[in-house]
Amino acid sequence: MRIYRVKNYDAMSRQAANIISAQIILKPDSVLGLATGSTPIGAYRQLIDRYRMGDLDFSGIRSVNLDEYLGLSADDPRSYACFMRKNLFDAINIKPENTFIPDGCATDPTEECARYNQLIRALGGIDLQLLGIGNNGHIGFNEPGDCFAKETHPVRLTENTIAANARFFSSVEEVPKYAISTGIKNIMQAKRILLIASGTAKAEALFSTICGPITPAVPASILQLHENVTIVADEAALALVPDQTEEPL
């Protein structure tokens, strides 16, 4: 596990964009696993800027997103499909047919999960998986529990996650209670994993992820077993972690 301790959110975003950019340049047909939420927005803006300067070409890139709310269509402004278009896809030259997100309006969520698993396999797996981390240690919507969920699955969101995501809705009551999420097996099969974190609210979860036991009570702790994980986090998020970090690129 490689850890980069940076000063603040902007530095985290730049370092994350450096890593993703290198992946795109070295393998122009990469399959990128992408995340949503407020944490990756800065990195996405950095990637957009680099594309506009002519430094990046997304025309051969394929992307698969971690998750989507159940009950929200791809056109709903609160959906993750809309989030990705607004914060990345519409500003770069990635082909729309090469961007994949679970269908939040699937009539049979179980079938949709099986379809998404097969899609990831058909793409040849994920080359670089970008992750954020929840205050409770979730990655994707893999919530704390008694076991690690393996592949894409429907999930009931915890009250902690619903409260954390309420900022994207008019009220906490509007936050969907269910989602589709890729599973721990999907994430762990990625060739490389990049986890980013910022702020004191993530400090306890990040400490447990890096220094604690591997347990489904902290889903991100499973990353200790992956051979190629990079964590980029600011000083506030790493406040509880003993300094074992490397200098940013």
Side-chain angles (χ1 to χ4, degrees), residues 81-222:
C82 185
F83 173 98
M84 291 306 305
R85 292 194 301 272
K86 176 183 176 182
N87 289 289
L88 184 62
F89 295 156
D90 286 352
I92 59 176
N93 67 330
I94 195 168
K95 297 174 181 176
E97 62 268 26
N98 285 343
T99 63
F100 303 100
I101 300 174
D103 181 1
C105 286
T107 54
D108 187 331
T110 301
E111 280 189 10
E112 173 60 10
C113 292
R115 182 196 70 82
Y116 208 66
N117 288 329
Q118 180 55 39
L119 167 68
I120 295 172
R121 287 191 286 269
L123 290 171
I126 296 167
D127 292 301
L128 174 63
Q129 176 66 62
L130 176 65
L131 297 173
I133 184 170
N135 297 350
N136 61 2
H138 76 238
I139 46 178
F141 274 139
N142 293 284
E143 300 281 20
D146 297 327
C147 62
F148 292 109
K150 292 182 180 179
E151 294 189 300
T152 310
H153 59 289
V155 58
R156 180 178 175 86
L157 304 181
T158 65
E159 293 303 316
N160 179 291
T161 296
I162 290 169
N165 289 357
R167 65 190 186 279
F168 299 113
F169 294 79
S170 298
S171 68
V172 69
E173 288 75 24
E174 289 188 9
V175 182
K177 304 301 186 290
Y178 293 89
I180 289 177
S181 178
T182 52
I184 295 297
K185 180 180 178 181
N186 301 113
I187 292 170
M188 292 293 286
Q189 286 181 333
K191 297 176 183 68
R192 298 177 63 197
I193 294 174
L194 170 60
L195 185 146
I196 57 178
S198 175
T200 56
K202 303 299 176 70
E204 187 173 342
L206 205 54
F207 172 80
S208 298
T209 295
I210 297 169
C211 303
I214 297 169
T215 168
V218 183
S221 65
I222 194 72

Side-chain angles (χ1 to χ4, degrees), residues 228-244:
N228 195 347
V229 173
T230 299
I231 294 176
V232 180
D234 63 19
E235 294 172 352
L238 283 168
L240 302 178
V241 177
D243 193 0
Q244 49 181 299

